[in-house]
Amino acid sequence: MKLAQGVEIVSLLVLTVMVVAAALGVVLSPSIVYAAFLLGLVFLGIAGMYLMLNADFVAAAQVLIYVGAVNVLILFAIMLVNRRKVYREVKLGAVRQLVAITVCVSLFALLLYTNLNTVWLLTPEVKALPSVIVALGQHFFNEYLLPFELASVLLLVALIGAIILARREFIPDRQVENLELVERPKELIGVGEE
Amino acid sequence: MQVSLDAFLVIGAALFCIGIYGLVTSRNAVRVLMSIELMLNAVNLNFLAFSNYLDSDTIRGQVFAVFVITVAAAEAAVGLAIVLSIYRSRDTVDMEEFNLLRW
């Protein structure tokens, strides 16, 4: 076994443990703020896996967009909507959990079985392209030009839609005597609560 | 022994199943969106694994992964805006309380 292969296996193992443990934390952690930070860890680990798959541009995009934008957006949303509240118990909660676990585990088993029993048409020797970015750019501006332009329209639509949806439409009906910033009345929360 | 396609596919499958579990069982609407992000990342991992091991000359899987990242960013922005808007009107983010359209 060559040294490079050993390094590859060890780094994949470390990334796998990190990603799966952090993903379980995202789903199971009682505190949603910790879940959001663990989600950032998942994104970083997946970016490392992309590097192992010779995808340097996508790894950089993953770090920039997911860790830099989506995760920060989620943290902002948590700050805006997070108020510790005891959730009302639902009927048959334990049964629901059990059914969900059963479905997920059996889906994983099915995927594992399919994966191990399929013969993939592997290329005989994987070799990295000299420049991934040049190849990606040629794809984007030749055969994928229309989806590329549509993606920019989609981003514009999402931007405007998000602004319209999240805009504050609260108009006070009482007369404001002192000049103050009018806010919807909110409960005061103590320090240390989430 | 060598890192093969199967390893990445198994990791992707595990991540996808964790995402589905979170999507189905979470009470907090923001956590549901985080679970969707997990599932999208699992799909992206599969795209890149296939792109590397099956199609390493013309890396079309990476093109698709970039499109998926774009759509995921737009989805996160609109989804969180919807959660914020629901929170303003219903004063909660509990998924079980969002029954406006149920009956």
Side-chain angles (χ1 to χ4, degrees), chain B residues 17-37:
Chain B
C17 293
I18 293 172
I20 285 186
Y21 176 75
L23 183 73
V24 173
T25 57
S26 295
R27 298 289 295 271
N28 194 324
V30 180
R31 200 187 294 251
V32 170
L33 286 172
M34 297 202 288
S35 305
I36 292 176
E37 298 295 331

Side-chain angles (χ1 to χ4, degrees), chain A residues 5 16 26-27 29 43 46 50 54-55 62 66 88 90 96-97 101 104 108 115 123 126 132 165-166, chain B residues 1 6 9-11 14-15 21 27-28 31 37 41 44 48 52-54 62 72 82 88 91 96-97:
Chain A
Q5 284 180 6
T16 306
V26 169
V27 172
S29 150
F43 292 155
I46 291 195
Y50 291 173
N54 297 320
Q62 165 96 359
Y66 271 112
R88 196 169 43 82
V90 288
R96 285 192 199 185
Q97 295 267 336
I101 289 176
C104 290
F108 182 62
N115 180 15
T123 46
V126 175
V132 174
L165 279 172
Chain B
M1 189 174 159
D6 290 341
L9 294 187
V10 170
I11 298 167
L15 210 58
Y21 176 75
R27 298 289 295 271
N28 194 324
R31 200 187 294 251
E37 298 295 331
N41 268 286
N44 261 348
L48 290 188
N52 190 36
Y53 286 102
L54 269 64
Q62 297 196 18
I82 290 174
R88 290 219 183 101
D91 220 23
E96 299 290 332
E97 305 277 335

